[in-house]
Structures are given as C-alpha cells and as structure tokens.
Amino acid sequence: MEIVLLGSTGSIGTQTLDVCRMHNIRVKALSANSSIDILEKQAREFCPEYIAVSDEKYYGEIKSLLSDTSIKILCGEEAVCELAQLKCDRVVNAVVGFAGLLPTLAALKAKNSVALANKETLVAGGELVMKTLKENDTSLLLIDSEHSAIFQCLMGAGDNKLSKIILTASGGPFFGKSRDELKNVTKAQALSHPNWKMGAKITIDSATMMNKGLELIEAVRYFDVSPEQVEIVIHRQSIVHSAVEFEDGAIIAQLGTADMRIPIQLALTYPKRLPCPAKKLSLAEVGTLTFEKPDEEVFNCLKAAKKAIKMGGNAPCIINCANEAAVSLFLNDKIGFLDIGSAVEDALSNVKFIKDPSLEEILETKRAAENYVYSKFKQGDI
Ligand code: MG
C-alpha cells in the first residue's frame, strides 16, 4: 500500500506515520505548512518521491536541507493539490482548517480514495465534496474519531436505517463552567485538554465546543441525516467515541482508548482490522461511564453551528471561517476566550447568505467571514 500524506508534521500526520511504520505502508509524498525540521526527519525516514511546503517562505530552507537526496521539492498551495492527485492507494488529508478543502476536491477529482482528518472540508464545502465524491465514484473515509465510530457502528447494518446518531463530546477543559467563569480564562488553560492530545486549533475548538458543532455538520453531510437526527451528549471519559440508534431502539456504540491511531489505521486499512500500537481498553479499569446534556447557552458556538446547518448554503462555511479567524486571534493574544463565540454568532448574522454556493462563492465567503472578524476586533490579518 502507498499513501500521499498532506499535513505530515501535525498531530494526525505524525500519528499516521506511526501507523505506516508499523505496517510498512509506503509514503509517496508528504506536505507540510511549516515545522521544516520535522519534515526533514520524516523525509529521511520515509524517502518519499515528492515533498511540498504550502508556505513558500520555507521552500529554500527545505530544498537546501534535502539537497543530498533525490526528493522532488515543490511549494505553494497548488503544489499540495498536485500531490493530492498523484496515483496512490489513499490520500490522507491531515491539513488544518479551510486550507484542506481544495486538496480534498483535487484528490477526489483524480479518483483517489481519501482518508480525511480535515473536518473543515466537510463543513465549509460539504455539499460540493459529497457531490464530487459521487461523480468520481471513489471513496472517502473519515479519520475523526466520532465519525469513524459511527461508520464502524454501521458496518454490517445492511439496509437497516439508523434513526439517530449519538455524537459524544468530552466537554473539554471548561465543562460545567458559567460564562462568567470563562471571561478571563487563559490560552494555557484552553490548551490543556483533559483526554486528547491534539494540535492547537482543534484543542481550542474543543474548549469552546465549536469542535462538536463542526462535527455535527460533518456527520449531517457525510451520513446524510438531518440535524435533528444528531444528538450531542457530553461523555467526560472519551471512551464511547459515538453511537447509532436503529429504528427498533437498539443502540450500537464503538468504544476504545482515546488514541487517534485506531481511527487513522482503520481509515488506511479498511475493511481490514490490523494490530494497532494503541493501548487496549479495560472497562473494569474505567469503571464508570457518564453521559450528560451540553449547555448551549454557555457554549454558544454549538448553538451557532446548529443554526448554520439548518440554514444550509454557505452558513456552515461562514461559521467555520469566522471561527478559524477568531481562534488565530485568540492564540495570538488579541482577543478573549468568549470573543470566539461572539465572533462566530455575529458573523453568521452579518456575512451575506448564499443558498447554493459555487466553489468560488465558498472561497468568497471565507474571505468575507475572516474580514468580518478582523474588522469586528479591529485587527489585521494574522
Ligand atoms: Mg473528533
């Protein structure tokens, strides 16, 4: 088996390479945005034919670091799309944020099978992505642990219809807090997730619960259900990764330790299950599993995401891109924690709604949502 890995230096990228190492999966190409030192090490270990750096300012550096190799080095966003079109068994898209959309579309148009860790792809351009998937008769497997869980719960379901998806959420570091208590939380507090070790953007999204809002939209698009059919449940232990309810009331859940290598590996080896380096789950050690309702008044990103998916059109793209801009401002100490939620809600009410957006209109919506957030907080582009 041979893969192309986009976003190789991030949390999902490095764990994907753990799986490749264990099962001798060949890596044809790697791409990264920055972290040039990690990219160089990965290139020396996995000897890909191609490397792309999306940020052109690192091109000279990586080219000279790897000048003793025969690896072809490319740069720019277009180069990442070129790698996505290389003939391979699977393209793993672990790019962070909206930047993952065009490579996903490029891979599908080249009839490549895609393992997608980039949920923003299905939020910002979900209808377009699913249409492109069908037109090109290829496959799309999700790496997000919840969506992998739902997919696993449906394996063997045949024609039986699910009546409900139960999407579990850890609740993040601020579960149970009031809005007052969240006013002055720091970046360090928001970055310390109780169960999962992840990149900065998704960790902040977990703290605001925007992550669960994005995952709700991802589930609606991918599993073709209505927003009302997805119930979000807080499950602090992150053991039940999600569940589905069938028409007879039976609920099937997928359980495991909080280790992304399990869903990553399944997305690479599906339909085969192979040994995985992740720790095995002991239910007796876990002891208790708890489930509670989320508080949408405190975590208003969740409320905005629900509203956006019901509106449809470019509304999910608006909240996704407003959130990306707000999270980058928060990570750069320009705005407070609660400003993220208000940026998302206000952008949804103020950025122009488009019912059936083309790709160009999705790209325009991204710029409009970002500009709205930057001007709301009187900040320049970060
Ligand atoms: Mg997830």
Side-chain angles (χ1 to χ4, degrees), residues 30-50:
L30 293 170
S31 87
N33 186 41
S34 52
S35 307
I36 296 307
D37 47 338
I38 301 175
L39 185 60
E40 186 209 354
K41 279 198 197 100
Q42 292 177 339
R44 293 197 181 277
E45 180 181 354
F46 290 93
C47 306
E49 283 172 50
Y50 301 87

Side-chain angles (χ1 to χ4, degrees), residues 179-297:
R179 286 190 71 78
D180 243 18
E181 289 170 306
L182 291 181
K183 244 181 219 158
N184 298 313
V185 296
T186 63
K187 191 166 77 179
Q189 287 170 317
L191 282 171
S192 76
H193 194 279
N195 302 348
W196 294 93
K197 206 172 160 292
M198 307 176 287
K201 198 261 173 180
I202 186 172
T203 306
I204 300 300
D205 286 349
S206 294
T208 60
M209 288 203 72
M210 184 65 176
N211 185 50
K212 214 46 59 178
L214 299 177
E215 288 182 354
L216 163 77
I217 298 171
E218 187 184 8
V220 167
R221 290 285 176 252
Y222 186 78
F223 296 105
D224 197 19
V225 293
S226 71
E228 291 78 13
Q229 280 177 290
V230 184
E231 182 188 2
I232 296 171
V233 176
I234 304 284
H235 166 50
R236 296 293 284 158
Q237 298 82 15
S238 296
I239 296 294
V240 175
H241 297 307
S242 277
V244 299
E245 181 195 82
F246 289 94
E247 284 177 311
D248 61 358
I251 292 177
I252 311 288
Q254 187 260 331
L255 286 72
T257 48
D259 190 320
M260 283 308 295
R261 288 174 299 184
I262 300 172
I264 291 170
Q265 180 173 295
L266 188 67
L268 294 186
T269 65
Y270 176 79
K272 273 200 184 124
R273 291 188 185 273
L274 300 178
C276 182
K279 188 172 173 258
K280 297 277 193 295
L281 173 67
S282 159
L283 282 174
E285 257 173 48
V286 174
T288 309
L289 300 176
T290 59
F291 302 93
E292 295 162 78
K293 277 194 174 151
D295 186 338
E296 289 180 20
E297 297 309 316

Side-chain angles (χ1 to χ4, degrees), residues 323-379:
N323 178 61
E324 283 185 31
V327 169
S328 81
L329 290 175
F330 176 71
L331 286 172
N332 284 281
D333 302 308
K334 304 285 186 195
I335 62 172
F337 183 75
L338 290 179
D339 290 331
I340 301 172
S342 67
V344 169
E345 280 193 320
D346 292 355
L348 187 57
S349 325
N350 287 288
V351 176
K352 188 181 156 207
F353 176 73
I354 304 169
K355 196 167 169 19
D356 191 14
S358 63
L359 179 59
E360 286 67 33
E361 286 168 324
I362 288 171
L363 296 170
E364 270 167 37
T365 300
K366 172 189 186 278
R367 286 188 288 271
E370 285 172 349
N371 288 337
Y372 176 80
V373 173
Y374 295 137
S375 66
K376 176 181 164 73
F377 297 109
K378 301 184 176 53
Q379 297 290 334

